[in-house]
Amino acid sequence: HNTADADLRLDLQRACARLTERQRAVLCMVLEGYTQREIGERLGMAQQTVADEWLRIMEELRTCST
């Protein structure tokens, strides 16, 4: 169990390291509870761009955790 948890943490760390700075900012704001609209306003991005970035983030995290 602990080995599996450690492996998952390492995979997620590697995935996060591959994210762009903007993707990391979006991820942090999502984890803090901001909506896509709020993230877009704060980062100067269209709401659709935030949604697109979120999909890329999720794809990257899924790729590393499977």
Side-chain angles (χ1 to χ4, degrees):
H1 178 62
N2 287 338
T3 301
D5 290 345
D7 289 345
L8 179 58
R9 278 193 302 276
L10 184 57
D11 288 344
L12 291 173
Q13 287 172 344
R14 288 179 182 149
C16 287
R18 285 195 297 272
L19 298 177
T20 66
E21 186 176 330
R22 182 165 77 169
Q23 288 170 334
R24 284 192 297 272
V26 169
L27 177 58
C28 287
M29 293 182 80
V30 166
L31 294 174
E32 291 173 5
Y34 289 94
T35 65
Q36 290 181 354
R37 181 183 58 76
E38 293 169 327
I39 294 168
E41 288 173 359
R42 289 176 183 251
L43 297 180
M45 300 163 54
Q47 187 172 343
Q48 184 59 52
T49 303
V50 175
D52 293 342
E53 290 289 9
W54 182 245
L55 287 175
R56 288 185 196 102
I57 291 165
M58 294 307 297
E59 287 171 3
E60 185 65 41
L61 295 178
R62 246 191 313 272
T63 298
C64 289
S65 64
T66 57

Coordinates of all heavy atoms in Angstrom, one line a residue:
H1 N 0.8 -1.2 0.0 CA 0.0 0.0 0.0 C 0.9 1.3 0.0 O 0.7 2.1 -0.8 CB -0.9 0.0 1.2 CG -1.8 1.2 1.3 ND1 -2.7 1.5 0.4 CD2 -1.9 2.1 2.3 CE1 -3.3 2.6 0.8 NE2 -2.9 3.0 1.9
N2 N 1.8 1.3 0.9 CA 2.7 2.5 0.9 C 3.5 2.7 -0.3 O 3.8 3.8 -0.8 CB 3.6 2.5 2.2 CG 2.8 2.7 3.4 OD1 1.8 3.3 3.4 ND2 3.4 2.3 4.6
T3 N 4.0 1.5 -0.9 CA 4.7 1.6 -2.1 C 3.9 2.1 -3.3 O 4.3 2.9 -4.1 CB 5.3 0.2 -2.5 OG1 6.1 -0.3 -1.4 CG2 6.1 0.2 -3.8
A4 N 2.6 1.7 -3.3 CA 1.7 2.2 -4.4 C 1.5 3.7 -4.2 O 1.5 4.4 -5.2 CB 0.4 1.4 -4.3
D5 N 1.3 4.1 -3.0 CA 1.1 5.5 -2.7 C 2.3 6.3 -3.1 O 2.2 7.4 -3.7 CB 0.8 5.8 -1.3 CG -0.6 5.3 -0.9 OD1 -1.4 5.0 -1.8 OD2 -0.9 5.2 0.4
A6 N 3.5 5.8 -2.8 CA 4.7 6.5 -3.1 C 4.9 6.6 -4.7 O 5.3 7.6 -5.2 CB 5.9 5.8 -2.5
D7 N 4.6 5.5 -5.3 CA 4.7 5.5 -6.8 C 3.7 6.5 -7.4 O 4.1 7.2 -8.4 CB 4.4 4.1 -7.3 CG 5.5 3.1 -7.0 OD1 6.6 3.5 -6.6 OD2 5.2 1.8 -7.1
L8 N 2.5 6.5 -6.9 CA 1.5 7.5 -7.5 C 2.0 8.9 -7.2 O 1.9 9.8 -8.1 CB 0.2 7.3 -6.8 CG -0.9 8.2 -7.3 CD1 -1.1 8.1 -8.8 CD2 -2.2 7.9 -6.5
R9 N 2.5 9.2 -6.0 CA 3.0 10.6 -5.8 C 4.2 10.9 -6.7 O 4.2 12.0 -7.2 CB 3.5 10.7 -4.3 CG 2.4 10.9 -3.3 CD 2.9 11.4 -2.0 NE 3.8 10.4 -1.4 CZ 3.4 9.3 -0.7 NH1 2.1 9.1 -0.5 NH2 4.3 8.5 -0.1
L10 N 5.1 10.0 -6.9 CA 6.2 10.2 -7.9 C 5.7 10.5 -9.3 O 6.1 11.4 -10.0 CB 7.2 9.0 -7.8 CG 8.4 9.2 -8.7 CD1 9.2 10.4 -8.2 CD2 9.3 7.9 -8.5
D11 N 4.7 9.7 -9.7 CA 4.1 9.9 -11.0 C 3.5 11.2 -11.2 O 3.6 11.9 -12.2 CB 3.1 8.8 -11.3 CG 3.7 7.4 -11.6 OD1 4.9 7.3 -11.9 OD2 2.9 6.4 -11.5
L12 N 2.8 11.7 -10.1 CA 2.1 13.0 -10.2 C 3.1 14.1 -10.1 O 3.0 15.1 -10.8 CB 1.1 13.1 -9.0 CG -0.1 12.2 -9.1 CD1 -1.0 12.3 -7.9 CD2 -0.9 12.5 -10.4
Q13 N 4.2 13.9 -9.4 CA 5.2 14.9 -9.4 C 5.9 15.1 -10.8 O 6.1 16.2 -11.2 CB 6.3 14.6 -8.4 CG 5.9 14.8 -6.9 CD 6.9 14.3 -5.9 OE1 7.8 13.5 -6.3 NE2 6.7 14.7 -4.7
R14 N 6.1 14.0 -11.4 CA 6.7 14.0 -12.8 C 5.7 14.7 -13.7 O 6.1 15.4 -14.6 CB 7.0 12.6 -13.2 CG 8.2 12.0 -12.5 CD 8.5 10.6 -13.0 NE 9.6 10.0 -12.3 CZ 9.7 8.7 -12.1 NH1 8.8 7.9 -12.5 NH2 10.8 8.3 -11.4
A15 N 4.4 14.4 -13.6 CA 3.4 15.0 -14.5 C 3.4 16.5 -14.3 O 3.3 17.2 -15.2 CB 2.0 14.3 -14.2
C16 N 3.4 16.9 -13.0 CA 3.3 18.3 -12.7 C 4.6 19.0 -13.2 O 4.5 20.2 -13.7 CB 3.2 18.6 -11.2 SG 1.5 18.2 -10.6
A17 N 5.7 18.4 -13.2 CA 6.9 19.0 -13.7 C 6.8 19.2 -15.2 O 7.5 20.1 -15.7 CB 8.1 18.1 -13.4
R18 N 6.0 18.4 -15.9 CA 5.9 18.6 -17.4 C 4.8 19.7 -17.7 O 4.7 20.0 -18.9 CB 5.5 17.3 -18.0 CG 6.8 16.4 -18.1 CD 6.5 15.2 -19.1 NE 5.4 14.3 -18.6 CZ 5.6 13.3 -17.9 NH1 6.8 13.0 -17.4 NH2 4.6 12.5 -17.5
L19 N 4.0 20.1 -16.8 CA 3.0 21.1 -17.1 C 3.7 22.5 -17.3 O 4.8 22.8 -16.7 CB 2.1 21.3 -15.9 CG 1.2 20.1 -15.5 CD1 0.4 20.4 -14.3 CD2 0.4 19.6 -16.7
T20 N 3.1 23.3 -18.1 CA 3.6 24.6 -18.3 C 3.3 25.5 -17.1 O 2.5 25.1 -16.2 CB 2.9 25.3 -19.6 OG1 1.5 25.5 -19.3 CG2 3.1 24.5 -20.8
E21 N 4.0 26.6 -17.0 CA 3.7 27.5 -15.9 C 2.3 27.9 -15.8 O 1.7 27.9 -14.7 CB 4.6 28.8 -16.0 CG 4.6 29.7 -14.9 CD 5.5 30.9 -15.0 OE1 6.6 30.7 -15.6 OE2 5.2 31.9 -14.4
R22 N 1.7 28.2 -17.0 CA 0.3 28.6 -17.0 C -0.6 27.4 -16.5 O -1.6 27.6 -15.8 CB -0.1 29.0 -18.4 CG -1.6 29.5 -18.4 CD -1.9 30.3 -19.7 NE -2.0 29.4 -20.8 CZ -2.5 29.8 -22.0 NH1 -2.8 31.1 -22.2 NH2 -2.6 29.0 -23.0
Q23 N -0.3 26.2 -17.0 CA -1.1 25.0 -16.5 C -1.0 24.8 -15.0 O -1.9 24.5 -14.4 CB -0.6 23.8 -17.3 CG -1.1 23.8 -18.8 CD -0.4 22.7 -19.6 OE1 0.7 22.2 -19.2 NE2 -1.1 22.3 -20.6
R24 N 0.2 25.0 -14.5 CA 0.4 24.9 -13.0 C -0.4 25.9 -12.3 O -1.0 25.7 -11.3 CB 1.9 24.9 -12.7 CG 2.6 23.7 -13.0 CD 4.0 23.6 -12.3 NE 4.9 24.7 -12.8 CZ 5.7 24.6 -13.9 NH1 5.7 23.4 -14.6 NH2 6.5 25.6 -14.3
A25 N -0.5 27.2 -12.8 CA -1.3 28.2 -12.2 C -2.8 27.8 -12.3 O -3.5 28.0 -11.3 CB -1.0 29.5 -13.0
V26 N -3.2 27.3 -13.4 CA -4.6 26.9 -13.5 C -4.9 25.8 -12.5 O -5.9 25.8 -11.8 CB -4.9 26.4 -14.9 CG1 -6.3 25.7 -15.0 CG2 -4.9 27.6 -15.9
L27 N -4.0 24.8 -12.4 CA -4.2 23.7 -11.5 C -4.3 24.2 -10.1 O -5.2 23.8 -9.3 CB -3.0 22.7 -11.7 CG -3.0 21.5 -10.7 CD1 -4.3 20.7 -10.8 CD2 -1.8 20.6 -11.0
C28 N -3.4 25.0 -9.7 CA -3.4 25.5 -8.3 C -4.7 26.3 -8.0 O -5.3 26.1 -6.9 CB -2.2 26.5 -8.1 SG -0.6 25.6 -8.0
M29 N -5.2 27.1 -9.0 CA -6.4 27.8 -8.7 C -7.6 26.9 -8.7 O -8.5 27.1 -7.9 CB -6.6 28.9 -9.8 CG -5.5 30.0 -9.7 SD -5.7 31.3 -10.8 CE -7.0 32.3 -10.0
V30 N -7.6 25.9 -9.5 CA -8.7 24.9 -9.5 C -8.7 24.2 -8.1 O -9.8 24.1 -7.4 CB -8.6 23.8 -10.6 CG1 -9.5 22.6 -10.3 CG2 -8.9 24.4 -11.9
L31 N -7.6 23.8 -7.6 CA -7.5 23.2 -6.3 C -7.9 24.1 -5.2 O -8.3 23.7 -4.1 CB -6.0 22.6 -6.1 CG -5.6 21.5 -7.0 CD1 -4.2 21.1 -6.8 CD2 -6.5 20.3 -6.8
E32 N -7.7 25.4 -5.4 CA -8.1 26.4 -4.4 C -9.6 26.7 -4.5 O -10.1 27.5 -3.6 CB -7.3 27.7 -4.5 CG -5.8 27.5 -4.2 CD -5.0 28.7 -4.5 OE1 -5.5 29.8 -4.9 OE2 -3.8 28.6 -4.3
G33 N -10.3 26.2 -5.5 CA -11.7 26.3 -5.6 C -12.2 27.4 -6.5 O -13.4 27.7 -6.5
Y34 N -11.3 28.0 -7.3 CA -11.8 29.0 -8.2 C -12.5 28.4 -9.4 O -12.2 27.3 -9.8 CB -10.6 29.8 -8.8 CG -9.9 30.7 -7.8 CD1 -8.8 30.3 -7.1 CD2 -10.4 32.0 -7.7 CE1 -8.2 31.1 -6.2 CE2 -9.7 32.9 -6.8 CZ -8.7 32.4 -6.0 OH -8.1 33.3 -5.1
T35 N -13.5 29.1 -10.0 CA -14.2 28.6 -11.1 C -13.4 29.0 -12.4 O -12.4 29.8 -12.3 CB -15.6 29.3 -11.3 OG1 -15.3 30.7 -11.5 CG2 -16.4 29.2 -10.1
Q36 N -13.7 28.4 -13.5 CA -13.0 28.6 -14.7 C -13.2 30.1 -15.1 O -12.2 30.7 -15.6 CB -13.6 27.8 -15.9 CG -13.2 26.3 -15.7 CD -13.6 25.4 -16.8 OE1 -14.4 25.8 -17.7 NE2 -13.2 24.2 -16.8
R37 N -14.3 30.7 -14.9 CA -14.5 32.1 -15.2 C -13.6 33.0 -14.3 O -12.9 33.9 -14.8 CB -15.9 32.5 -14.9 CG -16.2 34.0 -15.2 CD -17.6 34.4 -14.9 NE -18.0 34.2 -13.5 CZ -17.6 34.9 -12.5 NH1 -16.9 36.0 -12.7 NH2 -18.0 34.7 -11.3
E38 N -13.5 32.7 -13.0 CA -12.6 33.4 -12.1 C -11.1 33.2 -12.5 O -10.4 34.2 -12.5 CB -12.8 32.9 -10.7 CG -14.2 33.3 -10.1 CD -14.5 32.6 -8.8 OE1 -14.0 31.5 -8.6 OE2 -15.2 33.2 -8.0
I39 N -10.8 32.0 -12.9 CA -9.4 31.8 -13.3 C -9.1 32.6 -14.5 O -8.0 33.3 -14.6 CB -9.1 30.3 -13.5 CG1 -9.3 29.5 -12.2 CG2 -7.8 30.0 -14.2 CD1 -9.3 28.0 -12.4
G40 N -10.0 32.6 -15.5 CA -9.8 33.4 -16.7 C -9.6 34.8 -16.4 O -8.7 35.5 -16.9
E41 N -10.4 35.4 -15.5 CA -10.3 36.8 -15.2 C -9.0 37.1 -14.5 O -8.4 38.1 -14.8 CB -11.5 37.2 -14.3 CG -12.8 37.2 -15.0 CD -14.0 37.4 -14.0 OE1 -13.8 37.5 -12.8 OE2 -15.1 37.5 -14.5
R42 N -8.6 36.3 -13.6 CA -7.3 36.5 -12.9 C -6.1 36.3 -13.7 O -5.1 37.0 -13.5 CB -7.3 35.7 -11.6 CG -8.3 36.1 -10.6 CD -8.3 35.2 -9.4 NE -9.3 35.6 -8.4 CZ -9.0 36.1 -7.3 NH1 -7.8 36.4 -6.9 NH2 -10.0 36.5 -6.4
L43 N -6.1 35.4 -14.6 CA -5.0 35.1 -15.5 C -5.0 35.8 -16.8 O -4.1 35.6 -17.6 CB -4.8 33.6 -15.6 CG -4.5 32.8 -14.3 CD1 -4.4 31.3 -14.7 CD2 -3.3 33.3 -13.6
G44 N -6.1 36.5 -17.1 CA -6.2 37.2 -18.4 C -6.4 36.2 -19.5 O -5.9 36.4 -20.6
M45 N -7.2 35.2 -19.3 CA -7.5 34.2 -20.3 C -9.0 34.1 -20.5 O -9.8 34.3 -19.6 CB -7.0 32.8 -19.8 CG -5.5 32.7 -19.5 SD -5.0 31.3 -18.5 CE -5.7 29.9 -19.4
A46 N -9.4 33.7 -21.8 CA -10.8 33.4 -22.0 C -11.2 32.1 -21.2 O -10.3 31.3 -21.0 CB -11.0 33.1 -23.5
Q47 N -12.4 32.1 -20.8 CA -12.9 30.9 -20.1 C -12.7 29.6 -20.9 O -12.3 28.6 -20.3 CB -14.4 31.1 -19.7 CG -14.9 30.1 -18.8 CD -16.3 30.3 -18.3 OE1 -16.8 31.5 -18.4 NE2 -17.0 29.3 -17.9
Q48 N -12.9 29.7 -22.2 CA -12.7 28.5 -23.0 C -11.2 28.0 -23.0 O -10.9 26.9 -23.0 CB -13.1 28.7 -24.4 CG -13.0 27.5 -25.3 CD -13.8 26.3 -24.8 OE1 -15.0 26.5 -24.5 NE2 -13.2 25.1 -24.6
T49 N -10.3 29.0 -22.9 CA -8.9 28.7 -22.9 C -8.6 28.0 -21.5 O -7.8 27.0 -21.5 CB -8.0 30.0 -23.0 OG1 -8.3 30.6 -24.2 CG2 -6.5 29.6 -23.0
V50 N -9.2 28.4 -20.5 CA -9.0 27.8 -19.2 C -9.5 26.3 -19.2 O -8.9 25.4 -18.8 CB -9.8 28.6 -18.0 CG1 -9.7 27.8 -16.7 CG2 -9.2 30.0 -17.9
A51 N -10.7 26.2 -19.9 CA -11.2 24.8 -20.0 C -10.3 23.9 -20.8 O -10.1 22.8 -20.5 CB -12.6 24.9 -20.7
D52 N -9.8 24.5 -21.9 CA -8.8 23.7 -22.7 C -7.6 23.3 -22.0 O -7.1 22.2 -22.0 CB -8.4 24.5 -24.0 CG -9.6 24.7 -24.9 OD1 -10.6 24.0 -24.8 OD2 -9.5 25.6 -25.8
E53 N -7.0 24.3 -21.2 CA -5.9 24.0 -20.4 C -6.2 22.9 -19.3 O -5.4 22.0 -19.1 CB -5.4 25.2 -19.7 CG -4.7 26.3 -20.6 CD -3.4 25.8 -21.1 OE1 -2.9 24.7 -21.0 OE2 -2.7 26.7 -21.7
W54 N -7.4 23.0 -18.7 CA -7.8 22.0 -17.7 C -7.8 20.6 -18.4 O -7.3 19.6 -17.8 CB -9.1 22.3 -17.1 CG -9.5 21.4 -16.1 CD1 -10.6 20.5 -16.1 CD2 -8.8 21.1 -14.8 NE1 -10.6 19.8 -15.0 CE2 -9.6 20.1 -14.2 CE3 -7.7 21.6 -14.2 CZ2 -9.2 19.6 -12.9 CZ3 -7.3 21.1 -13.0 CH2 -8.1 20.1 -12.4
L55 N -8.3 20.5 -19.6 CA -8.3 19.2 -20.3 C -6.9 18.7 -20.5 O -6.6 17.5 -20.3 CB -9.1 19.3 -21.6 CG -10.6 19.4 -21.5 CD1 -11.2 19.6 -22.9 CD2 -11.2 18.2 -20.9
R56 N -6.0 19.5 -20.9 CA -4.6 19.1 -21.1 C -4.0 18.7 -19.8 O -3.2 17.7 -19.8 CB -3.8 20.3 -21.7 CG -4.2 20.5 -23.2 CD -3.3 21.6 -23.8 NE -3.8 22.1 -25.0 CZ -4.5 23.3 -25.1 NH1 -4.7 24.1 -24.1 NH2 -5.0 23.6 -26.3
I57 N -4.3 19.4 -18.7 CA -3.7 19.0 -17.4 C -4.2 17.6 -17.0 O -3.5 16.8 -16.6 CB -4.2 20.1 -16.3 CG1 -3.5 21.4 -16.6 CG2 -3.9 19.5 -14.9 CD1 -4.1 22.6 -15.8
M58 N -5.5 17.4 -17.2 CA -6.1 16.1 -16.8 C -5.5 15.0 -17.7 O -5.3 13.9 -17.2 CB -7.6 16.2 -16.9 CG -8.3 17.1 -15.9 SD -7.8 16.8 -14.2 CE -8.4 15.2 -13.9
E59 N -5.3 15.3 -18.9 CA -4.7 14.2 -19.8 C -3.3 13.9 -19.3 O -2.9 12.7 -19.3 CB -4.7 14.8 -21.3 CG -6.0 14.8 -21.9 CD -6.0 15.5 -23.3 OE1 -4.9 15.9 -23.7 OE2 -7.1 15.6 -23.8
E60 N -2.6 14.9 -19.0 CA -1.2 14.7 -18.5 C -1.2 13.9 -17.2 O -0.4 13.0 -17.1 CB -0.5 16.0 -18.3 CG 1.0 15.9 -18.0 CD 1.8 15.2 -19.1 OE1 1.6 15.6 -20.2 OE2 2.7 14.4 -18.7
L61 N -2.1 14.2 -16.3 CA -2.1 13.5 -15.0 C -2.6 12.1 -15.2 O -2.1 11.2 -14.6 CB -3.0 14.3 -14.0 CG -2.5 15.6 -13.6 CD1 -3.5 16.3 -12.7 CD2 -1.1 15.6 -13.0
R62 N -3.5 11.9 -16.1 CA -4.0 10.5 -16.4 C -2.9 9.7 -17.0 O -2.8 8.5 -16.7 CB -5.2 10.6 -17.3 CG -6.5 10.1 -16.7 CD -7.6 9.9 -17.6 NE -7.8 11.0 -18.6 CZ -8.5 12.1 -18.4 NH1 -9.2 12.3 -17.2 NH2 -8.7 13.0 -19.3
T63 N -2.2 10.3 -17.9 CA -1.1 9.6 -18.6 C -0.1 9.0 -17.6 O 0.4 7.9 -17.8 CB -0.4 10.5 -19.6 OG1 -1.4 10.9 -20.6 CG2 0.7 9.8 -20.3
C64 N 0.2 9.8 -16.6 CA 1.3 9.4 -15.7 C 0.8 8.6 -14.5 O 1.6 8.0 -13.8 CB 1.9 10.7 -15.1 SG 2.9 11.5 -16.3
S65 N -0.5 8.5 -14.3 CA -1.0 7.7 -13.2 C -1.6 6.4 -13.6 O -2.2 5.7 -12.8 CB -2.0 8.5 -12.4 OG -3.2 8.8 -13.2
T66 N -1.5 6.0 -14.9 CA -2.0 4.7 -15.3 C -1.0 3.6 -15.5 O 0.2 3.9 -15.5 CB -2.8 4.8 -16.7 OG1 -1.9 5.4 -17.6 CG2 -4.0 5.7 -16.5

